[in-house]
Amino acid sequence: MRSASGAAAAVLLLVILLWASNSIMAKIVLREIDPLTLTWLRFLIAGGFYLPYAVLTRAERARARIRDDELWSGCSTEAQREHKALDMANKAVL
């Protein structure tokens, strides 16, 4: 348990350092490139980190969706329709 706590503290420290240095780095980078290019680069870099995570956890999300559907089986038909509409909207986004 102690190592998990240490790992969490290290990740939190990393997030704090990245967040704090964001404005400084933006001022430096904006001297060289325009703001729109910087925005696109930030989205591409973030997507490069998120896409592998999304692919690797896809099976886990599918199992969670099945469990979620099992929970809704005891609800009213109106609630089930609303849930299915939201689920279809989520699938369209993914």
Side-chain angles (χ1 to χ4, degrees):
M1 186 62 114
R2 190 171 196 120
S3 65
S5 159
V11 169
L12 284 174
L13 180 63
L14 178 65
V15 168
I16 290 169
L17 289 174
L18 289 173
W19 193 277
S21 65
N22 187 27
S23 62
I24 298 167
M25 295 305 291
K27 287 181 182 182
I28 294 170
V29 171
L30 284 173
R31 292 181 197 160
E32 303 296 326
I33 61 174
D34 64 306
L36 189 59
T37 304
L38 177 61
T39 301
W40 277 107
L41 286 173
R42 289 175 67 186
F43 275 103
L44 287 174
I45 291 169
F49 282 102
Y50 177 70
L51 187 61
Y53 170 78
V55 169
L56 292 172
T57 60
R58 185 176 184 161
E60 184 178 325
R61 286 192 318 260
R63 284 193 302 271
R65 188 173 298 128
I66 290 169
R67 285 193 303 267
D68 190 36
D69 288 341
E70 291 170 356
L71 290 174
W72 280 97
S73 64
C75 292
S76 68
T77 55
E78 182 65 28
Q80 288 178 4
R81 276 192 293 251
E82 290 176 14
H83 173 68
K84 287 184 181 181
L86 287 173
D87 193 39
M88 287 176 20
N90 285 336
K91 286 179 184 176
V93 171
L94 296 177

